[in-house]
Amino acid sequence: DSVFICNTSDIQTISQKIRTISPKIIITLGEKAGQSLLNIKTPLEQIQGKFYDYYGVKVMPTFHPSLLIEKPHYKRQVWEDMKRVMAYLGLKDDS
């Protein structure tokens, strides 16, 4: 029912907030966000679309919206990621 939006400028603060809020799922937008949160250097193209674990919270890395403006063919991949998130949360896909 709620959304928390943040950037990766201070991963320690974000980590504390995530533990406090205890979300059901985290969606990272863009390579830097996914790599920072998961503490990995793997390119986004290799981690995108798969669930990862962050202290018991599912994480779905996907492409940043600004990339979709430059490269609209990535929109399908992001939509597939969002459908995985909705399925995990038990939400209906009415597409």
Side-chain angles (χ1 to χ4, degrees), residues 5-60:
I5 299 174
C6 62
N7 62 41
T8 58
S9 60
D10 182 2
I11 199 69
Q12 294 292 21
T13 301
I14 291 169
S15 181
Q16 291 170 349
K17 287 181 182 179
I18 288 170
R19 291 181 193 175
T20 300
I21 295 169
S22 189
K24 293 179 183 173
I25 196 159
I26 298 168
I27 301 168
T28 59
L29 302 175
E31 186 167 82
K32 183 179 177 186
Q35 289 174 336
S36 296
L37 188 68
L38 298 172
N39 195 27
I40 58 175
K41 295 188 185 296
T42 309
L44 180 59
E45 289 79 11
Q46 293 178 22
I47 63 171
Q48 172 266 329
K50 301 173 192 151
F51 283 111
Y52 294 85
D53 183 79
Y54 185 80
Y55 294 100
V57 178
K58 294 288 186 197
V59 177
M60 172 61 74

Side-chain angles (χ1 to χ4, degrees), residues 62-74:
T62 195
F63 298 107
H64 193 280
S66 64
L67 179 70
L68 304 181
I69 293 168
E70 294 175 33
K71 300 180 180 181
H73 61 277
Y74 282 110

